[in-house]
Structures are given as structure tokens and as C-alpha cells.
Amino acid sequence: MDVHVSLGRPGQLAADAYQQLRAAILDGRLRPDARLPATRDLARRLAVSRNTIVEAYERLIAEGFAVGRVGAGTFVTAAPPPPRPRRAPPHSPLVPRAIYRAAEPPPDARAPYDFALGVPDPALFPWDVWRGLIARQWRGRRPVVGYAEAAGDPALRAAIARHVGLARGIRAGADDIVITSGAQQAFDLIARAVLEPGQVAAVEEPGYPGARRALAAAGARVVGVRVDADGLDVTALPDDARLIHVTPSHQFPLGAPMSLARRVELLAWAEARGAAIIEDDYDSEFRFDGRPLEPLQCLDRRGHVLYVGTFSKVLSPSLRLGFVVAPGALAAALASAKACADGHAPIEPQRALAALIDDGQLARHVRRVGRIYRDRRARLLAALARELPELAIVPSVAGLHVSAIADRHVDTAALVARARAAGVAVHALAPYYAGRPRAGLALGYGLIPAPKIDAGVRRLAACLHDA
Amino acid sequence: MDVHVSLGRPGQLAADAYQQLRAAILDGRLRPDARLPATRDLARRLAVSRNTIVEAYERLIAEGFAVGRVGAGTFVTAAPPPPRPRRAPPHSPLVPRAIYRAAEPPPDARAPYDFALGVPDPALFPWDVWRGLIARQWRGRRPVVGYAEAAGDPALRAAIARHVGLARGIRAGADDIVITSGAQQAFDLIARAVLEPGQVAAVEEPGYPGARRALAAAGARVVGVRVDADGLDVTALPDDARLIHVTPSHQFPLGAPMSLARRVELLAWAEARGAAIIEDDYDSEFRFDGRPLEPLQCLDRRGHVLYVGTFSKVLSPSLRLGFVVAPGALAAALASAKACADGHAPIEPQRALAALIDDGQLARHVRRVGRIYRDRRARLLAALARELPELAIVPSVAGLHVSAIADRHVDTAALVARARAAGVAVHALAPYYAGRPRAGLALGYGLIPAPKIDAGVRRLAACLHDA
């Protein structure tokens, strides 16, 4: 028997040996019951350590291609696993539910001038600090045993309670908090826990599609309610709305904060009708003007508000960590829904985040990157005013993007496509409307470095003016 | 102005300083507008580095307790944040849905002799390898930007497709796979994507409560179908079942594998009625006898089987990583449901797992720990036969637990409680039945080290015999 094995890639020697031996078995070069060379001999012939060959043989054995016989050596199995068709059955008579039938669009491709929405800058992520905290969790000194609390790691819940108390004035103890996989899961769990199928839920128009989608998936009839300069028009709420999703700090996507009067009015409306409110506070950590308005959660005395926060903007969406602060019995119900949905959040990242909060590094990080985003925002607003005076910028005081209303004759879809071809990624407002949209654009400054902002806006302006 | 700050805990100096200054502000010892000592002076008085004090001051500023005035120093804010009530409103008129109203039980407490179910040994987790792979993801060389694919990281999906092809003969390409937060989310997403509210779903009786719960949460009428020595009794399936959850490799909790004849019969049943099957292959990586039976997924030619795998048993439940292999259009529908449920899985752990699989370390790990579990299992079976001959052990060939049927007069709930008081954790079979239960016990060997098994079973036997 002669096997040709050629090993090249350092660090991959055992993997190479395994793959070549496996290929030889599969294509018949090594026959069933053939004895493989002694590990010592093959290692010498290939000038590698014997461990490398032992490793390759062990994997062949583990995966059914070879068997070890005590005292005799390693042999190709009598019936190695046959080559398999490569795919699951390509057709199936099973029909998914209508709501899940549309293919998920791929994540947006990056652009040279990228005004992506709601994405923080990975270059600002505290890589070293986070790597240290995560690695510490995996040292195995306090090994995690089995399954954990559905509501989330107690240390993280306590840390978040303190953090949002200080940063946002939110009233919360650890027991009021449920850790979620980003804000999206918070919407999903709230919709599951609060809504019976067929009930009415209200969302802002325009509004955040992920929230609308989660409410619809729970079987709700979702009604869009118009937003004006003060936020959601409370008088336009359908009288039977059971659950209302709002973004009071930084309306998504328009950007205006909800006025205090409107906040009070919304709370009174919910109290009178026994409705629940989702306060989606997705990016208010970055505040650029004035004192923040009191969150609905702070104004709520009767237990109608579920406050949703996320670490996707202050740290990274890739972490998938968010939370809900829930009143009364709802925190326990959300934990129950979380257990049913996916058990609990991964443990080690929760503990790393708790440490990041507890030693003050998160607050410091937010302050540091907030200064950078403040600078980018000022440049973007100045560039828009200078290059695109025909757009009316929507006043805002927080967040990672700004919006601008265009003349209703502007074809923003075409503008966005032209801009993309010119290397500039911006979003039209239209996709955030369920009904008749206003013409306009939303531009994020989370991803684009300050020096590129002017050129990016100039290119965008050229796309509009050349049309 | 005089502030008493005493710093003790090394590594916590800045946090200590911050907390003591904050307390002084909150209780009025430091008045509004008071000037804080110059950082240099305070650092000298406390014999710490100036950076420590700067850090404490920065945090006071970030959290609204102090303001910096250029050229003048740091001052207590005119109106520091008032002390807040500590909790979200304790009462709320909002009533959660009935299905989420029961409080989530806390995770089981550990016992000195712990025969916990379905939990692998954290002492066997490849801590060093995993820490290295995770830390590599956080080096920031390939920074993750923004949101990612709902179906999961493409490299992990490709790695899993190869892995389950080799290890289990599963036919899958990367596009057939959706990454989930453990098997629990797989059940939840499948139920969401396949079932219309009010449709009938079938589960094994006895069976896995998490699966039953996910199907019920999707609005299904869940029917338990009895299990015999060959697995689910296909003739007892309700004729209108749209979705059937089974555990063919290692019936949960009884342990017997589903016979090949029964597998073929189940598939034919589903084909005739257009029903979907969840093949829950939760712990078959640990095989102890004979060749594995062909998975349903391999026998399925028409696209009725959704194969669910998890890394909770071979690695750790704390990772929350599982997957579905879905036929036809269902993979895309599950990705859509995943996007709606929580966006996508955290990115870095997915990439670390892909690397663990691709360089062969997962297969090696499974082989290594499989030998250890094989030894524990043999000891447990021998100890049960010796000490508790009145229990009938259910024959099984795989997994991390065994079950044993007791005489129907045995009060297993009382036995479990007595055993727990004696330091032995075992599970009664009864909670896994929705209807009339059989008396019996399930004992896991994932967590208990081999040398403790004999003593644990002896104690258990004493609890039974003394009663």
C-alpha cells in the first residue's frame, strides 16, 4: 500500500493528512480493510511529529473511516461511509406561514461613503477591554454548569438596573429586568406575552420595521399612527390598541424627540384603556443637545410602560444583548416567554458586560465615543445645510442618524440608487412608511469617519442636482 | 470643603473613589456647585495615581454628578440627579397571556451526587482552546460591522453541514442550515414557521417539555402520543397532526432508540398527510453500542423532516448554539422567523465554533469526552443493576442519561425528595408525562464524576429501601 500525502500548510499538518487520507479512502485508493502505515513510519517519511499523524488517524477513526485494532494497527473500515448527496431535499410539500415566506434580504453591503443607519463604528469598539473580559469568563475558574436563569444573569441585571438608573433615570431593580437577544427579541417577547392573536397593536408611521414585524408575528392587527413634530399623534390611536410601540428619545426614522406634553398624553391614554407601551430607547445614550426628556418609564406611575434598551448602538449589534424593564407581573411573564423562545442568553458575554458596566468602563466608553459621534453629527448637519439646502433637516437631540425631508417631487428611491452607484450609501424614508410616504433621506453617522463626511454629502448632492 | 475618601481594594481604587464621592454628593456632604479638589492634590493626599482620580471624576461627570469647567476645575452639578425610587412600578394592570403566567422555576441547585439530566461536565469543556478561539474573534482584525445574516454565519453553516454529514450522515449544504439559540429556539422557530394557530401538533408521551411548550406557544393544540419500546406509536398519531416532535436516537426521557421499521412508518405517515417532523437529535453524538440507526433526515426523500442539533451537550448549554437542517423553502422561512425573533445569533461565538469544527478539534473533543461518559455510563448501569435490581433499566445506545422503570406503587416524587435530602439529585419520570405517568427515574451521567457514581446510587437505593 502506498499513500501519497503531501503536507504544506504549517499549523494544518494534521488536517491536511486527515483530508488526504480520507480522500484516498473515499475514492478507493485505500481499500476497505487496508492497514494504514504505522504512525511512526508515516511521520518519519513525512518529516512531521508522530502526534500529527496520530491526530489525523484519530479523526479518521472518530468519523468512521478507520478502526483501530489493538496490537495490529489502524485499518480502513470495511464499509466506509458512502459519499452522500450534498443537500437536504430541495423540494418539500411543507408550506411556511405567509408572514415568513419572503426571503430575508442580505445585510447591506458596505459603501465607500457609508451613511448606514443604526450601526456604531467597529473601529471605536473597546476590543482590548472586551477581549480581556470575555477571556476571563472562559478561564474556567467559575465553570458555568448547565442551564441558567431565563431572565438573564443576575449580576448583569443588577448592573443594568444601576446603569439605566444613573444614565437615564429609569427605575429598575434586577428583578424588573429581562435580558434579551437585542431589542428585536424584546419586541418579540413583549408581543408574545401581552397580545392575544387578533388584538390591535399601534406603531409609529413612519416607524421601525422590526417592531412592526414582531407585533404582526404575534398575530396582532398592526395599525400605523402618524407622527408629527411632537411625536406620535395620540389622538389618532385606534381606540382598541392594546400595545403601542414608540421611540420617544429619537423617533425612528425621523429623529424628533416626543414632547413632554405628548408623553404625558400618551401615558394618560394608555392608563384610561389599560394598554401597554413599548418605550424603545434604542440610541439615546448619545445626546447632543440639552437635558434629556424624562423617559416614559419615569413618568409611568401605574405600570403601563415596558422600557427597552440595547447594547447594539453603544457597543456592537454583533453581541445581541438588549433588555426590558417591565412593571408588575410582566417581568416574570417575559422571563417565561424567553425560556420558551430560546432558554436564556449565552452566559459568558452577559458576565463580561456586567463587569464592563460595574467597573465604569461602559460609561467611559459612551462618553468617549459620544464625543466622536458629536463631531461627525455636526459635520454632517453642516454639510447637508451647505450642499443640500433644499432638504429640511428634522431637528433631533440624540442618536446615530439624522433625517431630512425632501420636496415631494424628489424620487428618493432613484436618488438612493444613483448615490449607491456613486459610492454613497444613504436610506430613503419611504421604506419606513406602511402607507403613503414622505420624500426624504435618513443618514447615519455611526460608521463614516469624520473626514469622509463632506465628500460623501457632496457626492450625494451631485446625484440629486445632476438628475 | 473636605471629602473623606478611603481607598482600599486594589484594582478598585477609581471605583471606590467614584462611589464615595457620589455618596457624598447624594447625601449632601458635597453641596451643589462645590468645587472638587484638584485631581493632582487629591491623588497626592490619597497616595494614588492621578489617573485614578481623573477616572473617578470622569465617571461623576458622565453620570451627571459633576461638571468640568474649563480652566476652573470640576464642580458638583447644581442639581444632581435626585435619588430615585428603586423599582419599576410593582403593580400593573397589564395581564400577561395565560401560557406565560407561571413563574419560571430557578435552575436546579447542584447536589453532592448530581445525576442531572442533559448537562455535560464543565470540567471536560475545552476551556483553553475555546478561550483562544473566542479571543481571536475579538482581536478586531476583521471587525464585525453592523447586523449579520439571520440564518447565521456562513462559515459556521458550512462547517456544520460538513460535520453532521460526516458524524451523522445528514445531507445538508450551508444554505439548508439555520443557526439557532440552542435546540429550544429551533423548536420555537419551526413551530412559528410551520403551524397556523389552532392546528394540531403531536409530541411524544412522555416527552421533552421544552418542545411541547414551544408548540403550544405557537397556538397549536398539542397532543401527546404514547411511546413504546420501538419509539413513538405511529398508529396513535392524531390524523390531523401537522407537526410531530420526536427524539429517535435517544427517546427523551425513556432512552430507547426508535426502530428502523418505526422510522420508515413515521415518514410514510407524514408523507401521506403532508405533515412535518422535527427530528430532535439532542445527544446522539455520544454513542455506546452498535452502529447508529439512520437518522430520519437521511431516510426522508420528500422533504418532511427538520433535523435539529445542538452544541449544548457536546460543548456547553451556556453557549446557546444549535441549528436546524430544513428541506425546501423551510430554511429560508426559518431564517425569516429568526430575523423576526431576535435578528441573528451573536457573531463571534459562531465564528469560534466554525474554527473549532474546521480544524477537527470538535470531533476530537467528542471522542475524548465520549470515552469518559462511556465509563460513567457503564458504572451507573452496573451500580443500578447491583443496588436497585427492582428497577427495570430502559435499554439505550446513546446520550447522557439512562432511565429506569419502577414498580407502579413506588412514589417517585417522594423518593426524589428523600434522595435530594440525602445529597443525591435524580429526576422522576412523572413530570415528563402530560397524562398518566409511569413510575420511574431518569439519571444523568454528564455531571457526576465516575468515582462518585457508586456511592450516589447506594444512597439512592437506601432512600428507596428505607421507605
mmCIF file of all heavy atoms in Angstrom, chain A residues 110-126:
data_model
loop_
_atom_site.group_PDB
_atom_site.id
_atom_site.type_symbol
_atom_site.label_atom_id
_atom_site.label_comp_id
_atom_site.label_asym_id
_atom_site.label_seq_id
_atom_site.Cartn_x
_atom_site.Cartn_y
_atom_site.Cartn_z
ATOM 1 N N ARG A 110 -21.320 47.228 2.327
ATOM 2 C CA ARG A 110 -20.680 48.487 2.725
ATOM 3 C C ARG A 110 -20.404 49.339 1.490
ATOM 4 O O ARG A 110 -20.232 48.836 0.386
ATOM 5 C CB ARG A 110 -19.371 48.210 3.462
ATOM 6 C CG ARG A 110 -19.576 47.467 4.782
ATOM 7 C CD ARG A 110 -19.976 48.411 5.925
ATOM 8 N NE ARG A 110 -21.367 48.831 5.905
ATOM 9 C CZ ARG A 110 -22.379 48.237 6.550
ATOM 10 N NH1 ARG A 110 -22.161 47.183 7.281
ATOM 11 N NH2 ARG A 110 -23.600 48.693 6.475
ATOM 12 N N ALA A 111 -20.360 50.645 1.700
ATOM 13 C CA ALA A 111 -20.070 51.589 0.620
ATOM 14 C C ALA A 111 -18.877 52.450 1.041
ATOM 15 O O ALA A 111 -18.613 52.606 2.233
ATOM 16 C CB ALA A 111 -21.285 52.474 0.355
ATOM 17 N N PRO A 112 -18.176 52.997 0.077
ATOM 18 C CA PRO A 112 -17.020 53.857 0.428
ATOM 19 C C PRO A 112 -17.433 55.039 1.315
ATOM 20 O O PRO A 112 -16.702 55.417 2.231
ATOM 21 C CB PRO A 112 -16.514 54.341 -0.933
ATOM 22 C CG PRO A 112 -16.988 53.316 -1.914
ATOM 23 C CD PRO A 112 -18.286 52.783 -1.379
ATOM 24 N N TYR A 113 -18.603 55.627 1.024
ATOM 25 C CA TYR A 113 -19.138 56.690 1.873
ATOM 26 C C TYR A 113 -20.424 56.140 2.463
ATOM 27 O O TYR A 113 -21.468 56.157 1.821
ATOM 28 C CB TYR A 113 -19.381 57.963 1.056
ATOM 29 C CG TYR A 113 -18.108 58.491 0.442
ATOM 30 C CD1 TYR A 113 -17.688 58.050 -0.809
ATOM 31 C CD2 TYR A 113 -17.305 59.393 1.133
ATOM 32 C CE1 TYR A 113 -16.497 58.495 -1.361
ATOM 33 C CE2 TYR A 113 -16.118 59.848 0.591
ATOM 34 C CZ TYR A 113 -15.713 59.397 -0.653
ATOM 35 O OH TYR A 113 -14.535 59.839 -1.192
ATOM 36 N N ASP A 114 -20.311 55.629 3.693
ATOM 37 C CA ASP A 114 -21.383 54.778 4.205
ATOM 38 C C ASP A 114 -22.155 55.459 5.333
ATOM 39 O O ASP A 114 -21.709 55.497 6.474
ATOM 40 C CB ASP A 114 -20.791 53.443 4.676
ATOM 41 C CG ASP A 114 -21.853 52.359 4.737
ATOM 42 O OD1 ASP A 114 -23.047 52.707 4.838
ATOM 43 O OD2 ASP A 114 -21.483 51.175 4.666
ATOM 44 N N PHE A 115 -23.320 56.004 4.984
ATOM 45 C CA PHE A 115 -24.196 56.609 5.990
ATOM 46 C C PHE A 115 -25.226 55.580 6.472
ATOM 47 O O PHE A 115 -26.432 55.829 6.471
ATOM 48 C CB PHE A 115 -24.880 57.850 5.409
ATOM 49 C CG PHE A 115 -23.923 58.961 5.029
ATOM 50 C CD1 PHE A 115 -23.529 59.157 3.706
ATOM 51 C CD2 PHE A 115 -23.411 59.812 6.008
ATOM 52 C CE1 PHE A 115 -22.651 60.181 3.365
ATOM 53 C CE2 PHE A 115 -22.536 60.840 5.665
ATOM 54 C CZ PHE A 115 -22.140 61.020 4.339
ATOM 55 N N ALA A 116 -24.722 54.400 6.848
ATOM 56 C CA ALA A 116 -25.601 53.319 7.303
ATOM 57 C C ALA A 116 -26.364 53.759 8.547
ATOM 58 O O ALA A 116 -25.870 54.541 9.354
ATOM 59 C CB ALA A 116 -24.785 52.066 7.601
ATOM 60 N N LEU A 117 -27.559 53.212 8.716
ATOM 61 C CA LEU A 117 -28.412 53.580 9.851
ATOM 62 C C LEU A 117 -28.195 52.643 11.027
ATOM 63 O O LEU A 117 -28.183 51.430 10.868
ATOM 64 C CB LEU A 117 -29.888 53.479 9.450
ATOM 65 C CG LEU A 117 -30.450 54.561 8.552
ATOM 66 C CD1 LEU A 117 -31.968 54.437 8.483
ATOM 67 C CD2 LEU A 117 -30.057 55.936 9.067
ATOM 68 N N GLY A 118 -28.038 53.237 12.208
ATOM 69 C CA GLY A 118 -28.108 52.441 13.424
ATOM 70 C C GLY A 118 -26.958 51.489 13.618
ATOM 71 O O GLY A 118 -27.089 50.496 14.328
ATOM 72 N N VAL A 119 -25.829 51.767 13.007
ATOM 73 C CA VAL A 119 -24.670 50.889 13.162
ATOM 74 C C VAL A 119 -23.532 51.696 13.776
ATOM 75 O O VAL A 119 -23.115 52.697 13.199
ATOM 76 C CB VAL A 119 -24.214 50.332 11.797
ATOM 77 C CG1 VAL A 119 -23.095 49.331 11.997
ATOM 78 C CG2 VAL A 119 -25.383 49.686 11.075
ATOM 79 N N PRO A 120 -23.028 51.286 14.928
ATOM 80 C CA PRO A 120 -21.908 52.026 15.509
ATOM 81 C C PRO A 120 -20.602 51.639 14.827
ATOM 82 O O PRO A 120 -20.538 50.651 14.091
ATOM 83 C CB PRO A 120 -21.912 51.570 16.965
ATOM 84 C CG PRO A 120 -22.419 50.165 16.899
ATOM 85 C CD PRO A 120 -23.422 50.132 15.755
ATOM 86 N N ASP A 121 -19.582 52.438 15.086
ATOM 87 C CA ASP A 121 -18.304 52.237 14.402
ATOM 88 C C ASP A 121 -17.518 51.110 15.069
ATOM 89 O O ASP A 121 -17.133 51.225 16.240
ATOM 90 C CB ASP A 121 -17.500 53.535 14.468
ATOM 91 C CG ASP A 121 -16.348 53.536 13.475
ATOM 92 O OD1 ASP A 121 -15.894 52.442 13.091
ATOM 93 O OD2 ASP A 121 -15.933 54.640 13.081
ATOM 94 N N PRO A 122 -17.245 50.006 14.341
ATOM 95 C CA PRO A 122 -16.475 48.920 14.968
ATOM 96 C C PRO A 122 -15.051 49.353 15.322
ATOM 97 O O PRO A 122 -14.438 48.772 16.211
ATOM 98 C CB PRO A 122 -16.474 47.810 13.911
ATOM 99 C CG PRO A 122 -16.876 48.450 12.647
ATOM 100 C CD PRO A 122 -17.650 49.692 12.968
ATOM 101 N N ALA A 123 -14.573 50.404 14.648
ATOM 102 C CA ALA A 123 -13.225 50.882 14.990
ATOM 103 C C ALA A 123 -13.196 51.506 16.380
ATOM 104 O O ALA A 123 -12.131 51.632 16.987
ATOM 105 C CB ALA A 123 -12.756 51.899 13.938
ATOM 106 N N LEU A 124 -14.365 51.906 16.890
ATOM 107 C CA LEU A 124 -14.421 52.506 18.224
ATOM 108 C C LEU A 124 -14.733 51.472 19.308
ATOM 109 O O LEU A 124 -14.717 51.786 20.493
ATOM 110 C CB LEU A 124 -15.486 53.613 18.260
ATOM 111 C CG LEU A 124 -15.304 54.738 17.242
ATOM 112 C CD1 LEU A 124 -16.455 55.731 17.348
ATOM 113 C CD2 LEU A 124 -13.962 55.437 17.447
ATOM 114 N N PHE A 125 -15.045 50.260 18.901
ATOM 115 C CA PHE A 125 -15.370 49.220 19.885
ATOM 116 C C PHE A 125 -14.156 48.975 20.783
ATOM 117 O O PHE A 125 -13.023 48.931 20.302
ATOM 118 C CB PHE A 125 -15.761 47.929 19.155
ATOM 119 C CG PHE A 125 -16.214 46.837 20.085
ATOM 120 C CD1 PHE A 125 -17.527 46.780 20.518
ATOM 121 C CD2 PHE A 125 -15.318 45.877 20.540
ATOM 122 C CE1 PHE A 125 -17.947 45.775 21.378
ATOM 123 C CE2 PHE A 125 -15.729 44.873 21.410
ATOM 124 C CZ PHE A 125 -17.051 44.818 21.827
ATOM 125 N N PRO A 126 -14.384 48.824 22.096
ATOM 126 C CA PRO A 126 -13.244 48.629 23.014
ATOM 127 C C PRO A 126 -12.714 47.194 22.941
ATOM 128 O O PRO A 126 -12.886 46.408 23.867
ATOM 129 C CB PRO A 126 -13.840 48.948 24.385
ATOM 130 C CG PRO A 126 -15.297 48.622 24.254
ATOM 131 C CD PRO A 126 -15.673 48.924 22.826
#
